[in-house]
Amino acid sequence: MKLDPQLLLQRPLPAGGSPQGAPYLQLSAIGKRFGSQTVLHGLDLNVDKGEFVCLLGPSGCGKTTLLRQIAGLDMPDSGSIRLLGRDITRLPPAARDYGIVFQSYALFPNLSVADNIAYGLNGRREDKRRRVAELLTLIGLDSIAAKYPSQLSGGQQQRVALARALATSPGLLLLDEPLSALDARVREHLRREIRALQQKLGITTIMVTHDQEEALTMADRVVVMNAGRIEQSGSPFEVYREPASRFVASFVGQGNWLPVSVSGSGSVQLGEQYLALPQAHGLPAGSGAELFVRPEDIVLHPQWPASSDAVLAEIRKLELLGAVYRISLHVPAWGAANVVADLGHAQLTQLDITPQQRVPVSLNPARLRLFPRQEASA
């Protein structure tokens, strides 16, 4: 995934808890089976009022199934769902306070844009017309009220579906892979629009996605799911920088895995090099482990640094990935490891490197994650 880690540093901090400290939405021990297959293993999840939460994971991990439990489209086999303290576990969808946007948009092809948006509204015709006009202005599509879905682009259809979901002013917005059917440029534009709209309205939002960049750039909190379980729940920065498991580290972004041996006293041996690593405390000396390091955390030096932690690496290949260059390196001192490093254009110009050239490289221990060998091989 070509994710710029600087995006995470530029994000505002999550909004925090609800004013009263109680979650807006509370899922407790949610379990779900289809036949003999368990797809949700007793999940617990709290969502604060106004929070934007992304359920992130690969196909088949249970994220859409979990969303359907919240929506009442499926009923859990065990556990409970509470909205503002009210038990809604067995309530039908119409009795729950939410709007939903599906991947397929689900617009009525025989209805105009205005009628699609007004579909769930009650009251006088004038009030409906006024509400539709407000929503079309909100999504920036004032001039298309009389058009039909077949006359709209994919991005326009998705915005109309979003307006319809917001028409009744629900307290909760559910988004099921809302952007996956769009091309990359439209998807990036709508990501910003949906996030800005959610912040403007302050509506509590839960979005399902398999796209790591989508989750990291849009959400206050990312919930990473795997095989019907929650692997990690945290801010985008925490999930990217401090993955709680090997699965999270492997699934979110790019990384290098380097086999090491724990040498005791809070250090590990990487090939010929010893690295002080607080995470190694508590692991038995001589045990095997793996270091996880992001490509942007491998440092290439223009000249030999004063510190003694640098080793020589041979440049094998340079690839342009838009905003960064990916450098393939062979490092004999790290047990003949092959790793990749990401450099910005200015950094590459400063280094003035070419394939087959040798350069000093080093690792920042503060940016390394250590995983025991038994977890790494699971």
Side-chain angles (χ1 to χ4, degrees), residues 62-118:
K63 56 188 186 295
T64 294
T65 300
L66 184 59
L67 193 78
R68 290 178 64 86
Q69 313 303 302
I70 299 169
L73 302 175
D74 283 329
M75 296 295 172
D77 296 324
S78 59
S80 65
I81 303 172
R82 305 184 76 86
L83 184 67
L84 283 175
R86 183 171 68 110
D87 191 335
I88 64 169
T89 311
R90 301 296 165 187
L91 292 183
R96 305 184 186 209
D97 180 26
Y98 72 85
I100 190 166
V101 178
F102 297 101
Q103 177 182 347
S104 60
Y105 317 141
L107 298 176
F108 299 110
N110 59 321
L111 297 183
S112 69
V113 166
D115 289 339
N116 262 284
I117 295 173

Side-chain angles (χ1 to χ4, degrees), residues 133-215:
E134 290 173 355
L135 289 163
L136 285 171
T137 299
L138 191 66
I139 64 172
L141 294 175
D142 309 66
S143 62
I144 68 164
K147 291 187 176 182
Y148 287 83
S150 61
Q151 298 173 295
L152 306 179
S153 68
Q156 289 174 325
Q157 290 184 49
Q158 190 58 281
R159 280 190 280 177
V160 171
L162 182 62
R164 185 178 63 182
L166 296 171
T168 58
S169 300
L172 180 64
L173 178 63
L174 305 178
L175 306 173
D176 186 10
E177 300 270 11
L179 307 178
S180 61
L182 304 172
D183 64 57
R185 185 176 294 275
V186 175
R187 201 162 58 235
E188 183 177 348
H189 176 68
L190 278 183
R191 280 206 306 253
R192 293 193 297 268
E193 283 198 350
I194 291 173
R195 178 56 171 159
L197 185 60
Q198 185 269 336
Q199 290 179 312
K200 179 180 179 180
L201 298 176
I203 186 170
T204 308
T205 301
I206 302 175
M207 182 174 79
V208 163
T209 183
H210 65 273
D211 187 308
Q212 302 99 317
E213 185 170 340
E214 198 166 281

Side-chain angles (χ1 to χ4, degrees), residues 41-373:
H41 295 266
L43 302 188
D44 296 322
L45 178 64
N46 292 340
V47 180
D48 289 334
K49 185 173 178 58
E51 192 176 20
F52 195 127
V53 172
C54 273
L55 305 179
L56 173 67
S59 297
C61 73
K63 56 188 186 295
T64 294
T65 300
L66 184 59
L67 193 78
R68 290 178 64 86
Q69 313 303 302
I70 299 169
L73 302 175
D74 283 329
M75 296 295 172
D77 296 324
S78 59
S80 65
I81 303 172
R82 305 184 76 86
L83 184 67
L84 283 175
R86 183 171 68 110
D87 191 335
I88 64 169
T89 311
R90 301 296 165 187
L91 292 183
R96 305 184 186 209
D97 180 26
Y98 72 85
I100 190 166
V101 178
F102 297 101
Q103 177 182 347
S104 60
Y105 317 141
L107 298 176
F108 299 110
N110 59 321
L111 297 183
S112 69
V113 166
D115 289 339
N116 262 284
I117 295 173
Y119 184 79
L121 293 174
N122 296 315
R124 298 184 308 166
R125 181 178 299 178
E126 293 79 7
D127 293 335
K128 291 183 181 180
R129 189 180 296 118
R130 187 181 304 111
R131 180 60 175 159
V132 168
E134 290 173 355
L135 289 163
L136 285 171
T137 299
L138 191 66
I139 64 172
L141 294 175
D142 309 66
S143 62
I144 68 164
K147 291 187 176 182
Y148 287 83
S150 61
Q151 298 173 295
L152 306 179
S153 68
Q156 289 174 325
Q157 290 184 49
Q158 190 58 281
R159 280 190 280 177
V160 171
L162 182 62
R164 185 178 63 182
L166 296 171
T168 58
S169 300
L172 180 64
L173 178 63
L174 305 178
L175 306 173
D176 186 10
E177 300 270 11
L179 307 178
S180 61
L182 304 172
D183 64 57
R185 185 176 294 275
V186 175
R187 201 162 58 235
E188 183 177 348
H189 176 68
L190 278 183
R191 280 206 306 253
R192 293 193 297 268
E193 283 198 350
I194 291 173
R195 178 56 171 159
L197 185 60
Q198 185 269 336
Q199 290 179 312
K200 179 180 179 180
L201 298 176
I203 186 170
T204 308
T205 301
I206 302 175
M207 182 174 79
V208 163
T209 183
H210 65 273
D211 187 308
Q212 302 99 317
E213 185 170 340
E214 198 166 281
L216 295 175
T217 54
M218 293 180 72
D220 294 317
R221 182 153 54 100
V222 178
V223 177
V224 184
M225 295 182 61
N226 178 37
R229 294 182 170 86
I230 294 176
E231 293 267 345
Q232 185 173 1
S233 175
S235 71
F237 185 87
E238 289 168 341
V239 168
Y240 185 81
R241 276 293 178 205
E242 301 171 4
S245 69
R246 180 181 175 92
F247 173 81
V248 176
S250 298
F251 185 75
V252 180
Q254 295 287 337
N256 299 286
W257 294 92
L258 300 171
V260 297
S261 176
V262 178
S263 55
S265 303
S267 65
V268 297
Q269 183 177 359
L270 171 60
E272 302 169 10
Q273 188 177 24
Y274 288 86
L275 298 171
L277 204 63
Q279 299 171 57
H281 283 294
L283 295 178
S287 62
E290 282 197 321
L291 280 181
F292 176 75
V293 56
R294 298 285 185 193
E296 65 270 16
D297 293 329
I298 295 180
V299 183
L300 279 67
H301 302 275
Q303 56 191 15
W304 202 263
S307 62
S308 59
D309 59 356
V311 296
L312 275 179
E314 179 185 341
I315 297 171
R316 292 285 176 87
K317 186 169 62 173
L318 283 77
E319 296 177 277
L320 176 62
L321 301 182
V324 300
Y325 278 88
R326 180 151 294 164
I327 318 297
S328 298
L329 302 165
H330 178 71
V331 191
W334 291 347
N338 295 308
V339 298
V340 293
D342 286 351
L343 298 178
H345 291 251
Q347 293 173 291
L348 190 72
T349 300
Q350 181 184 14
L351 288 168
D352 190 27
I353 55 178
T354 57
Q356 312 309 317
Q357 182 180 340
R358 291 187 173 185
V359 294
V361 299
S362 63
L363 300 172
N364 180 354
R367 297 289 180 86
L368 302 177
R369 302 293 294 173
L370 184 67
F371 293 92
R373 182 68 54 83

